[in-house]
Amino acid sequence: DTATGIPVVNDSTWDSLVLKADEPVFVDFWAPWCGPSKMIDPIVNELAQKYAGQFKFYKLNTDESPATPGQYGVRSIPTIMIFVNGEKKDTIIGAVSKDTLATSINKFL
């Protein structure tokens, strides 16, 4: 789903796109049936535009790629994770405000 303008990462591209990225990476673990995931979509989209060139943004559909969320202990969605140099540095669970997400992003700039 590229309707949001945010590229998709999946189990097979996770390593190359997220763990080997040069910039910090923001990953939105979501599912099409999840109401709160849809609620934060516009916020994530806005942040992706605001931090373009400083942060990489990806969405991972947990229905299509269950292995990765399982590996990182994702229990509920939406879950946002921030990775730096291949390491998970931050986790935000639930539909949170733009300010909350921006605060997490700014920690790694």
Side-chain angles (χ1 to χ4, degrees), residues 32-84:
W33 46 264
C34 173
S37 285
K38 292 193 179 93
M39 275 167 47
I40 67 162
D41 250 3
I43 296 173
V44 172
N45 210 20
E46 213 175 302
L47 291 169
Q49 288 167 345
K50 182 179 176 184
Y51 292 100
Q54 298 173 282
F55 241 84
K56 286 212 178 352
F57 281 73
Y58 294 108
K59 293 176 77 72
L60 185 141
N61 182 329
T62 56
D63 287 353
E64 291 172 0
S65 293
T68 304
Q71 190 184 335
Y72 288 95
V74 173
R75 298 272 170 268
S76 62
I77 48 174
T79 291
I80 306 290
M81 288 187 187
I82 293 177
F83 290 82
V84 180

Side-chain angles (χ1 to χ4, degrees), residues 18-20 25 72 81-90 108:
V18 177
L19 302 184
K20 296 196 168 104
V25 183
Y72 288 95
M81 288 187 187
I82 293 177
F83 290 82
V84 180
N85 297 323
E87 281 181 53
K88 182 176 79 174
K89 295 291 190 187
D90 210 354
F108 303 102

